[in-house]
Amino acid sequence: MIGFLFRRLGAMLILLLVVSFITFTLFQFGPADPAAASCGQECTPERVEQARIALGLDKPFFVQYLAFLSGLVGPRMLGAPGAEQVCAWPCLGKSFQTNENVTDMIANALPYTVSLTVGAVVLWTVVGVGMGLFAALRKGKLADRLIVGAASFGVSLPIPVTGLVLLLVFVGTLGWLPFTTNAIRSPFGEAGFFGWTTNYLLAWIALAVLFSAQYVRITRNNMIETFSEDFMRTARAKGLSRGTIVFKHGVRAGITPIVTMLGLDLGAMLGGAVLTEQIFSVPGLGFTAVRAATSGDLPVTMAITMLAAFFIILFNVIVDVSYAFIDPRVRVN
Amino acid sequence: MNTPLLEVSELRKHFPIKGAFGRTVGAVKAVDSVSFTLQRGTTLGLVGESGCGKSTTGKVLMRLLDPTSGSIKLDGEEISTFKGKELNAFRRRVQMVFQNPASSLNPRASIGAAIAAPLIEQGIKPPGGVKAKVRDLMDRVGLRPEHANRFPHEFSGGQRQRIGIARALALDPDVVICDEPVSALDVSVQAQVVNLLKDIQRDTGISYIFIAHDLAVVKHMADEVAVMYLGKIMEQGSNEQIFADPQHPYTRALLSAVPSVELDAALTERIRLGGDLPSPSNPPSGCVFRTRCPAYALLPETDRARCADQVPTGEVACHFPSAPLAAVAAHR
Amino acid sequence: MLSVKNLSVQFPTDDGMVAALNGMDLQLHRGETVGLVGESGSGKSVTSQAIMGLFKETRAKISGEITFEGTDLLALSEDRMRTFRGKKIGMIFQDPLSAMHPFYTVGSQIAEAYRVHNKVSRKAAKQVAIDMLARVGIPDPKKRVDNYPHEFSGGMRQRAMIAMALVCEPELLIADEPTTALDVTVQAQILDLISELQAETNSAVIFVTHDLGVVAQLCQRVVVMYGGQCVEQASVREIFTAPSHPYTRGLMASMPHLSGEDDRLTPIPGSPPALLDLPSGCIFADRCEFAALVPDNRCQNERPQLLVTGEHAARCHGHEMSLLPKTIKVGA
């Protein structure tokens, strides 16, 4: 198990390097000129050139890339020659746009994305898995058909549509909920758990509508398959109660694909929910990433891409490890 | 004695076990030193329990798997090294019938197309055309030729196995390797297929390698029988020798384990094997059967040492074929 | 002790109602072993599952009567039925690997079966599981109790399955093809175990199988099923020496034997009936070689009744009218 973990973590580092290299290269050949963008309205060719040197963009590609990597290992120097500043470890550089330290920017944006993710994941897991299980138990009956129908509908609703409709109805027309504010970043702040919940509730619902629908489908199909397994018949033949049969025997056996999907979605969500953050004006990673990418802000884009990749790979490893806990047959190998 | 149609000697198929970093850390000896011959127009039965290597042997003979070592001669010609065109030509002469006809037929192809497929693939134009050949084959296996346009799901299990047989016969092969061809079928239908295979042999002089776990079916099909255990042949001989006068303790145990419908047969010896099949990656030294052998337990110390040290060879691969066996008293 | 009368089970499918059972009858006395024999689709497994009440709360349509020790099982609610399952009626299945939960240890699955019906601590239940494993002949049960099913061999798994079914000492054990997936030497061990345990506990056994040999070895009485009906029932000796029903006769003639010289089998022509569209007359009529002997197309038009003569019962017009030849045709 330990050896397995080490091998996976090694592979994870290599993968992150590859991702960073690809992103870096793509930026080199992209159309955006960060130097021109950062020097503002009244720009002369000389000022652009100055900015280019200050941002380090005058150096060869590999030197730039290695300089970026060095910031991941220890502190590094940033800025124009003669006016260098120390950037403490972990250094992801400074924003070309605002000159802010990228590490700080990420530390700022992350809590919003985490808030969004945690609530949405809990909501869609409970609703999606719950309804999927219920539908599987009522297979072919009215309740099942209604749930499957609703899921097909939900899965085809894009986030911008659900999000805007929710905002329009609950914030605009009914006024039951406040508009999302940047002031609330976690349930531990002044606003408390209740304030946090009301702040993010609509965004959670918008995400949950889409994701629950997928979870309903995968849960239902998996559970129906599991319920037809021989060991489920054995469980009934033992005289076990319905609850024990369904949960201890059925859900336990059919949970693996759901855990897999949940892990992957969780990883992807933590990298930033671009659309949702835009619509609900949540200044999380997705929001920041879009702004950075459209303005050619290489350090910020790099940092968020790598963080997103890191989360996805991390949760992949977590999913693999969780298999060993779920299924004893995996433990042997 | 003329050249046998098929002559297999010292055939081995070992599957490497890969450890960390792709190192080979051992081997599963699925087939280990198997030798036999098949005469033209006869049937060789390969029997044994799951994991004995009988199906792997069939796949190696068919060249679906490459042998690790050993020789396979068809009409005196070494075929284990055939590649490309030679291998393709060889496939015309050796065909296979599988256990599960449903999964070896393409559900979207009509059965006429399925039967014609080998002809078309090999680019053979039979006199009278492919269609006539297909009709002839269907007629021969007891299917109605007018059903050629139907699809596999419209047929019962027994009929599907007939389709599989027709397809195997399409190239007029010399040998058909039948891998458990009747084990998925009901008894009443199984008898139809067994009879069909025998009729075809009588009419065409084809040879069969008949792989099965059901001893009674093998008794009805085979002229020669080889009993396999853990990748090795324990005993081989004529049908009469094996069934009427088995020598090897494993053969005797196997035969005695078959539930008999003879109500008074309960008075004969009942030999029960204890324990489980050893791992084929780490088989016992010497005689591979000794860990479960009903004779081994009763042998004196010196004889046991011989079983553990020397690999028995010969038609009856046993050092002490006439040793008494530990039998359980019969009860009803 | 158990009486099944005129039991019918139908499953709705997209293509219509599948008539899995069509008036099944079965009587079982305390301590008796009855073999339920038939081919695929004959309804033998459906019968055993219906007795276990496994079709409750499904879309299956059930009519008829199942009485167990005076209780009408069909009328019981799912909750009341639970007090019978495992406690009074135990069941074992064909493939022990898929019939056991892959994620729980063998011991915990046996202990679970015990704890549903007995108020004991986890620790005590585990001890019961260990004792039970020892009883079914698992070596080193103290260690094995914590193994997972995939760590057991096929035969050991079926032993563990038997331990699970018998842990509450049920009065009736339903064994649904428990040896079909096993090798013949392992099958012999399991059959021995079942008869030993039965002799110890004096519980009744319904043994579902397609293998007449197994029946001959294990059972006192046989119920032959075809197309969801009991076509014949009698003592084992009667069935094998004087079978009445043409289907039973056909089954015997088509079965390959290990002894005897008959090297040609006599199959039953055609294939088992389609349960979607059963004939209104005798279900076996279209495969029956004697149907022509019965006048007025009675076999085609009228469903025969089960005619009971002493201990022997058969469902056949020809038999009822004494039109069948007396001797059994064996071989050709």
Side-chain angles (χ1 to χ4, degrees):
Chain A
M1 193 61 170
I2 305 284
F4 165 80
L5 266 179
F6 271 107
R7 253 176 291 144
R8 287 306 302 260
L9 290 175
M12 184 165 152
L13 280 180
I14 293 168
L15 209 58
L16 280 175
L17 259 173
V18 172
V19 168
S20 71
F21 185 74
I22 291 172
T23 322
F24 213 89
T25 315
L26 283 177
F27 240 88
Q28 288 294 313
F29 302 109
D33 181 2
S38 75
C39 87
Q41 294 287 324
E42 292 157 36
C43 217
T44 62
E46 293 79 51
R47 288 182 60 182
V48 172
E49 207 43 49
Q50 272 177 0
R52 198 179 302 282
I53 292 165
L55 296 175
L57 294 173
D58 56 329
K59 301 200 179 83
F61 169 71
F62 271 104
V63 176
Q64 286 185 44
Y65 181 59
L66 286 178
F68 168 77
L69 288 186
S70 72
L72 298 176
V73 189
R76 94 183 235 224
M77 304 305 283
L78 282 177
E84 287 118 330
Q85 289 168 303
V86 180
C87 170
W89 182 86
C91 178
L92 296 161
K94 287 195 172 175
S95 164
F96 289 172
Q97 282 286 307
T98 62
N99 210 30
E100 260 181 281
N101 186 320
V102 177
T103 313
D104 294 342
M105 284 176 79
I106 289 200
N108 244 317
L110 192 58
Y112 293 108
T113 297
V114 171
S115 291
L116 200 62
T117 305
V118 168
V121 165
V122 169
L123 194 62
W124 88 53
T125 309
V126 170
V127 174
V129 174
M131 298 223 302
L133 183 60
F134 186 74
L137 289 169
R138 293 270 180 289
K139 185 191 161 198
K141 297 192 177 142
L142 184 66
D144 176 35
R145 285 181 202 174
L146 285 178
I147 291 174
V148 170
S152 316
F153 185 65
V155 90
S156 51
L157 280 180
I159 291 272
V161 175
T162 10
L164 289 177
V165 169
L166 284 170
L167 281 172
L168 200 67
V169 174
F170 291 99
V171 181
T173 313
L174 296 171
W176 289 356
L177 289 164
F179 197 80
T180 322
T181 160
N182 296 353
I184 302 173
R185 294 156 41 125
S186 82
F188 312 111
E190 253 173 64
F193 185 78
F194 184 75
W196 177 72
T197 309
T198 48
N199 190 47
Y200 288 100
L201 188 61
L202 288 183
W204 292 345
I205 293 175
L207 279 166
V209 167
L210 180 68
F211 281 90
S212 300
Q214 294 169 20
Y215 280 73
V216 163
R217 287 212 240 174
I218 189 174
T219 308
R220 177 182 177 272
N221 295 347
N222 255 296
M223 284 305 155
I224 286 175
E225 207 188 306
T226 306
F227 290 157
S228 68
E229 296 272 6
D230 283 359
F231 58 77
M232 294 301 286
R233 191 177 53 183
T234 310
R236 274 189 91 192
K238 281 174 168 181
L240 301 179
S241 71
R242 205 180 161 80
T244 311
I245 294 171
V246 169
F247 289 100
K248 189 178 164 193
H249 290 250
V251 173
R252 172 78 198 272
I255 205 83
T256 322
I258 301 165
V259 168
T260 310
M261 191 154 134
L262 193 64
L264 300 184
D265 284 342
L266 204 61
M269 279 286 294
L270 283 174
V274 174
L275 285 172
T276 318
E277 291 182 12
Q278 291 286 326
I279 287 160
F280 290 91
S281 313
V282 177
L285 291 173
F287 191 87
T288 315
V290 172
R291 226 175 39 188
T294 48
S295 60
D297 199 342
L298 174 64
V300 179
T301 316
M302 277 296 290
I304 296 180
T305 311
M306 286 190 61
L307 192 65
F310 168 76
F311 280 131
I312 289 174
I313 300 168
L314 177 74
F315 275 92
N316 257 300
V317 175
I318 292 177
V319 164
D320 282 356
V321 172
S322 73
Y323 283 169
F325 284 96
I326 297 172
D327 189 340
R329 287 171 299 185
V330 177
R331 269 171 239 168
V332 194
N333 309 314
Chain B
M1 197 168 166
N2 46 3
T3 325
L5 180 61
L6 197 64
E7 189 172 8
V8 173
S9 55
E10 295 290 307
L11 188 68
R12 284 189 175 81
K13 178 66 197 174
H14 294 185
F15 295 99
I17 306 169
K18 297 278 183 198
F21 310 110
R23 271 180 306 141
T24 304
V25 293
V28 174
K29 296 173 179 172
V31 178
D32 204 27
S33 233
V34 161
S35 308
F36 56 78
T37 56
L38 175 68
Q39 299 295 338
R40 200 173 281 280
T42 66
T43 301
L44 172 76
L46 278 184
V47 266
E49 299 180 282
S50 45
C52 74
K54 57 189 192 297
S55 281
T56 310
T57 306
K59 285 186 187 128
V60 174
L61 292 183
M62 194 59 208
R63 289 294 313 275
L64 295 174
L65 293 173
D66 287 328
T68 306
S69 69
S71 115
I72 307 167
K73 284 184 181 151
L74 183 68
D75 263 339
E77 193 182 4
E78 181 63 45
I79 60 107
S80 61
T81 51
F82 274 3
K83 285 191 179 67
K85 267 191 184 156
E86 283 177 311
L87 189 60
N88 215 25
F90 157 76
R91 296 230 196 277
R92 285 185 208 176
R93 302 188 54 193
V94 183
Q95 284 287 307
M96 198 153 186
V97 172
F98 297 93
Q99 170 172 8
N100 192 341
S103 65
S104 57
L105 288 170
N106 177 358
R108 282 179 234 293
S110 74
I111 65 147
I115 295 169
L119 290 167
I120 292 162
E121 253 163 53
Q122 292 272 355
I124 292 171
K125 296 196 176 64
V130 172
K131 271 207 170 133
K133 176 84 182 173
V134 169
R135 291 177 68 88
D136 176 49
L137 284 165
M138 289 183 70
D139 187 52
R140 204 193 302 170
V141 299
L143 291 167
R144 291 163 64 183
E146 57 268 32
H147 289 171
N149 292 326
R150 297 198 177 180
F151 289 87
H153 71 266
E154 295 174 71
F155 293 89
S156 68
Q159 287 172 319
R160 267 180 249 167
Q161 196 54 288
R162 288 172 193 268
I163 300 167
I165 294 169
R167 187 171 56 174
L169 294 177
L171 296 170
D172 295 315
D174 296 319
V175 185
V176 174
I177 297 170
C178 307
D179 190 358
E180 301 271 8
V182 296
S183 11
L185 304 175
D186 278 321
V187 183
S188 68
V189 180
Q190 168 181 306
Q192 297 172 6
V193 175
V194 166
N195 284 350
L196 173 67
L197 287 170
K198 294 188 83 162
D199 291 347
I200 291 168
Q201 184 168 58
R202 190 192 57 214
D203 297 344
T204 64
I206 202 168
S207 313
Y208 295 125
I209 301 273
F210 192 89
I211 300 167
H213 69 276
D214 187 329
L215 289 148
V217 173
V218 170
K219 179 173 182 287
H220 277 264
M221 276 301 299
D223 303 297
E224 295 280 318
V225 180
V227 182
M228 289 186 73
Y229 179 82
L230 218 61
K232 290 183 184 292
I233 293 180
M234 293 288 107
E235 180 169 8
Q236 54 182 317
S238 70
N239 187 315
E240 295 75 41
Q241 276 171 344
I242 296 288
F243 288 100
D245 188 21
Q247 297 296 311
H248 198 286
Y250 179 62
T251 316
R252 289 166 67 186
L254 207 55
L255 287 170
S256 113
V258 178
S260 168
V261 292
E262 318 279 310
L263 295 176
D264 303 314
L267 301 172
T268 59
E269 67 176 357
R270 270 161 43 113
I271 308 153
R272 291 291 181 260
L273 295 184
D276 288 317
L277 194 69
S279 160
S281 59
N282 184 24
S285 65
C287 171
V288 288
F289 183 55
R290 73 182 155 87
T291 52
R292 299 176 72 197
C293 181
Y296 186 72
L298 305 179
L299 288 177
E301 199 64 41
T302 49
D303 290 351
R304 280 199 207 181
R306 195 170 154 214
C307 289
D309 295 341
Q310 289 175 28
V311 179
T313 52
E315 298 266 282
V316 181
C318 179
H319 293 304
F320 308 100
S322 53
L325 307 186
V328 197
H331 65 83
R332 260 195 78 78
Chain C
M1 171 163 114
L2 176 79
S3 154
V4 176
K5 277 188 191 140
N6 202 24
L7 183 67
S8 291
V9 177
Q10 294 183 309
F11 301 107
T13 66
D14 293 342
D15 302 323
M17 291 301 259
V18 168
L21 279 186
N22 305 287
M24 175 64 193
D25 298 281
L26 172 71
Q27 264 75 41
L28 186 70
H29 305 290
R30 205 168 288 279
E32 184 183 36
T33 305
V34 166
L36 217 53
V37 189
E39 298 179 273
S40 46
S42 63
K44 53 194 195 300
S45 281
V46 176
T47 307
S48 59
Q49 289 177 39
I51 295 169
M52 206 61 183
L54 295 181
F55 298 124
K56 282 182 198 293
E57 302 191 347
T58 70
R59 291 161 73 202
K61 284 204 168 63
I62 304 185
S63 65
E65 205 180 290
I66 304 175
T67 321
F68 179 76
E69 295 186 328
T71 315
D72 180 3
L73 293 187
L74 282 183
L76 289 185
S77 67
E78 171 75 12
D79 274 343
R80 286 275 294 122
M81 189 68 216
R82 271 183 51 211
T83 60
F84 283 79
R85 288 191 200 127
K87 186 167 175 59
K88 294 194 169 142
I89 312 175
M91 191 159 182
I92 53 180
F93 301 96
Q94 178 171 350
D95 180 4
L97 182 60
S98 64
M100 293 179 105
H101 201 293
F103 298 173
Y104 295 107
T105 62
V106 170
S108 72
Q109 296 189 52
I110 299 171
E112 183 186 38
Y114 189 70
R115 271 165 59 92
V116 208
H117 302 293
N118 298 278
K119 280 197 175 126
V120 293
S121 69
R122 270 172 203 285
K123 224 180 134 192
K126 187 172 178 180
Q127 190 53 51
V128 171
I130 294 172
D131 295 345
M132 208 59 212
L133 284 176
R135 236 176 112 186
V136 296
I138 302 258
D140 201 1
K142 266 211 177 75
K143 211 176 112 224
R144 288 306 206 151
V145 76
D146 290 323
N147 280 167
Y148 290 93
H150 70 270
E151 297 170 296
F152 273 37
S153 70
M156 298 240 286
R157 261 180 232 135
Q158 196 56 286
R159 285 174 191 269
M161 204 56 219
I162 292 172
M164 199 189 302
L166 294 183
V167 70
C168 294
E169 303 189 340
E171 290 145 61
L172 169 62
L173 174 71
I174 302 176
D176 190 351
E177 304 241 17
T179 59
T180 307
L182 303 177
D183 276 320
V184 61
T185 55
V186 181
Q187 164 173 287
Q189 294 172 7
I190 297 294
L191 294 180
D192 286 352
L193 175 69
I194 291 176
S195 45
E196 274 163 34
L197 287 172
Q198 199 208 1
E200 269 174 50
T201 59
N202 200 33
S203 58
V205 177
I206 295 179
F207 200 97
V208 177
T209 178
H210 65 276
D211 189 336
L212 283 169
V214 172
V215 168
Q217 193 187 323
L218 199 72
C219 304
Q220 285 113 44
R221 215 149 51 79
V222 192
V223 174
V224 182
M225 291 191 70
Y226 186 82
Q229 290 185 324
C230 158
V231 291
E232 181 162 11
Q233 57 172 301
S235 72
V236 165
R237 190 159 288 275
E238 282 267 313
I239 282 279
F240 285 103
T241 52
S244 301
H245 199 281
Y247 175 66
T248 316
R249 296 180 182 197
L251 212 52
M252 307 239 184
S254 62
M255 213 179 66
H257 295 270
L258 269 184
S259 50
E261 294 302 309
D262 50 328
D263 71 347
R264 186 155 183 95
L265 304 171
T266 314
I268 305 175
S271 29
L275 299 172
L276 268 170
D277 181 27
L278 286 174
S280 57
C282 171
I283 299 171
F284 187 61
D286 63 335
R287 299 176 76 187
C288 181
E289 57 177 318
F290 304 118
L293 300 178
V294 178
D296 309 329
N297 282 344
R298 237 184 117 190
C299 293
Q300 280 74 25
N301 299 325
E302 187 192 330
R303 199 63 73 83
Q305 297 298 310
L306 194 66
L307 179 74
V308 185
T309 4
E311 290 288 295
H312 199 138
R315 189 189 286 276
C316 174
H317 290 308
H319 170 67
E320 200 176 325
M321 299 162 81
S322 306
L323 295 173
L324 302 184
K326 282 282 176 283
T327 48
I328 323 157
K329 245 172 82 180
V330 179

